[in-house]
Amino acid sequence: MAQTEGARASWSGKWAFILAAAASAVGLGNMWRFPYLAAKYGGGTFLLTYVLLVFTFGVSLLLLETALGRKTGQSAIGAFKAFGKKYAFIGVLASAVPFIITPYYCIIGGWVTKYTAAYLVDGPDALADGGDFFTGFITSNVESYIWMLLFMALVFIIVGLGVKGGIEKANLVMMPALIIMAVGIAIYTLTMPGALEGAAYYLTPDFSKLSPELFISALGQMFYSLSLAMGIMITYGSYMRKQDSLTSSVTRIGFFDLGVSFIAGLLIVSAAFVAVGSGDAVAAKAGPSLMFITLPNVFADMGGMATIMGFLFFLLVLFAALTSAISLTETLVSIVQDGMKCTRAKALGIVIAFVVIAGAVINAGYNGLSFIEPLGAGSSMLDFADFISNSVLMPIVALLTCIFVGWIIKPKVIVDEVKISSPFKLEKAWAVMIKFIAPVLVTVILVAYVAAQFGFFSM
Ligand code: PHE
């Protein structure tokens, strides 16, 4: 264990923090959800909306959370409690989110691990069979669990090595590798016949697709992608030193996450375009099938490059998933450690037990327990966990956080914390954002997601 018994962890410097926050941000959300949303909502139109949201709303909330963490030196529950016992519930709600996300994130991580290995073991053609390979795998009673556990083991080992000895080192290797692979694969993909047409579709704004749904989807995606409203950024802020600038850190995190989403979208939309021939057809391949069924068809057609491209692509996604799962698990460890006042080692033990058991139960939703369809026919327990965390809890936590800072403790508390390490030119605009704009926007997403789920309109 890298930390001394019971002591709180800390980053070795500003760049370690930025890298860790970016590593948390860049994940499965960037790799398959962003590209699909961009394809669905008219390419450039979605990109523009998303950029606008990240640099107004997204960065403002990132700043709020990191400053709150640094000021109090606590993870989510303690951070809110520091201002009065009655506010601890906001932290409890925020902390519930990573407990729900981590187990199912590791299941998808297991799928990605399986695919990475399968390119080397079974070859690209075996994976390009129109979906039977994927369905057979996730419904298996043994194999799907083994790959989930393998992915979890990688995550637990790195978190077990501590913040400096494990997480920082892993990020330092995986994040640059991720960028290089993403750019390399994107360039190669664009040389395939038909791919440039896909790129044009992705980049050109189609303003006829501008709609409330586009806006709401972009907002929800931004939350998930920046790992907001679940206590992660509060925890990470609490490991920060007082001399490191918060404003420039959060702007860089926003850029980084956006950059990776942009490249992933370019790569995936162009590649999928090659396979299915039109933007609407790409958009129709929502969810897991785009990555696990459509893309393998594209790779299989790459001839001599098929194995290596497929392998590298899934390795890229694996790195993105791993760094996010590590950050989720680290947050859980920190919550348990602060909440139970125990050692880091004991907290990790508890977290491992929880994630393994919850993961196994949710994974059973695709095989042993597939008769449980919580959101209607064809839905899985994983869909349900995703819905509760992203569409219900996260907007509620974001709303409460904004009200708490904007109206109860007052923006000045955060502004003062920010100013310890850097000037804060946009302080007035930021306060307006937190007090007025953000609460309204968040209420809109919350109502819209829940209404969409119950069929009032479709998204
Ligand atoms: N932001 C990650 C992604 O885009 C997901 C994530 C959610 C990571 C919550 C950590 C916490 O995939």
Side-chain angles (χ1 to χ4, degrees), residues 156-180:
F156 297 148
I157 290 170
I158 295 169
V159 174
L161 289 171
V163 169
K164 293 195 182 95
I167 302 183
E168 284 189 9
K169 292 216 176 83
N171 289 343
L172 212 53
V173 175
M174 285 193 270
M175 295 305 287
L178 185 152
I179 305 290
I180 295 169

Side-chain angles (χ1 to χ4, degrees), residues 125-455:
D125 293 331
L127 298 166
D129 66 350
D132 294 344
F133 185 92
F134 181 63
T135 314
F137 168 62
I138 65 170
T139 55
S140 77
N141 283 317
V142 179
E143 237 210 312
S144 61
Y145 293 85
I146 293 179
W147 290 93
M148 175 191 83
L149 289 172
L150 193 69
F151 179 85
M152 286 177 179
L154 292 173
V155 173
F156 297 148
I157 290 170
I158 295 169
V159 174
L161 289 171
V163 169
K164 293 195 182 95
I167 302 183
E168 284 189 9
K169 292 216 176 83
N171 289 343
L172 212 53
V173 175
M174 285 193 270
M175 295 305 287
L178 185 152
I179 305 290
I180 295 169
M181 286 191 283
V183 172
I185 301 170
I187 293 174
Y188 183 80
T189 308
L190 289 177
T191 64
M192 295 183 74
L196 283 179
E197 246 177 286
Y201 172 81
Y202 175 65
L203 294 171
T204 319
D206 171 0
F207 289 108
S208 72
K209 296 270 169 67
L210 212 49
S211 64
E213 288 95 313
L214 176 153
F215 185 75
I216 293 160
S217 302
L219 204 56
Q221 168 67 11
M222 186 205 74
F223 260 110
Y224 188 74
S225 193
L226 289 177
S227 310
L228 291 170
M230 60 185 90
I232 290 190
M233 288 302 145
I234 300 182
T235 305
Y236 277 20
S238 77
Y239 298 163
M240 255 185 113
R241 303 178 304 180
K242 291 285 186 195
Q243 71 263 39
D244 294 331
S245 161
L246 293 170
T247 43
S248 67
S249 300
V250 298
T251 317
R252 289 190 177 119
I253 297 164
F255 263 111
F256 201 98
D257 187 54
L258 184 68
V260 175
S261 288
F262 177 79
I263 299 170
L266 185 64
L267 190 178
I268 291 171
V269 174
S270 309
F273 210 91
V274 173
V276 297
S278 83
D280 292 335
V282 176
K285 306 269 177 209
S289 68
L290 182 60
M291 175 172 292
F292 293 103
I293 300 172
T294 311
L295 284 185
N297 287 327
V298 182
F299 296 134
D301 285 340
M302 288 182 171
M305 295 295 278
T307 302
I308 184 76
M309 280 298 159
F311 169 74
L312 286 179
F313 174 79
F314 279 98
L315 190 65
L316 156 72
V317 182
L318 177 62
F319 281 5
L322 267 176
T323 54
S324 289
I326 288 167
S327 121
L328 282 160
T329 306
E330 172 60 27
T331 305
L332 298 184
V333 170
S334 166
I335 293 167
V336 173
Q337 190 185 0
D338 288 351
M340 300 184 45
K341 309 252 179 303
C342 61
T343 60
R344 198 180 146 87
K346 183 163 177 215
L348 179 62
I350 294 169
V351 167
I352 290 177
F354 168 79
V355 173
V356 168
I357 294 169
V361 171
I362 296 176
N363 193 45
Y366 287 109
N367 33 72
L369 301 176
S370 60
F371 56 87
I372 302 178
E373 298 182 328
L375 296 176
S379 73
S380 64
M381 282 197 272
L382 193 151
D383 297 329
F384 184 66
D386 189 55
F387 172 70
I388 292 294
S389 53
N390 299 339
S391 311
V392 182
L393 279 174
M394 284 166 68
I396 292 177
V397 171
L399 180 62
L400 291 172
T401 308
C402 291
I403 293 174
F404 175 73
V405 170
W407 300 92
I408 297 175
I409 67 170
K410 299 283 162 22
K412 186 168 181 309
V413 174
I414 298 295
V415 169
D416 289 345
E417 178 66 29
V418 172
K419 283 183 174 168
I420 294 176
S421 47
S422 67
F424 189 6
K425 284 193 224 97
L426 295 174
E427 104 178 54
K428 294 241 160 52
W430 179 84
V432 171
M433 176 60 108
I434 298 303
K435 283 181 89 149
F436 304 103
I437 306 178
V440 172
L441 287 182
V442 171
T443 308
V444 170
I445 337 185
L446 180 61
V447 173
Y449 270 148
V450 175
Q453 188 56 48
F454 291 104

Side-chain angles (χ1 to χ4, degrees), residues 90-103:
I90 307 177
V92 172
L93 276 183
S95 305
V97 179
F99 277 98
I100 300 174
I101 295 184
T102 313

Side-chain angles (χ1 to χ4, degrees), residues 100-122:
I100 300 174
I101 295 184
T102 313
Y104 85 75
Y105 208 83
C106 289
I107 294 173
I108 306 178
W111 301 350
V112 176
T113 316
K114 162 76 183 175
Y115 268 61
T116 311
Y119 270 94
L120 302 182
V121 178
D122 306 285

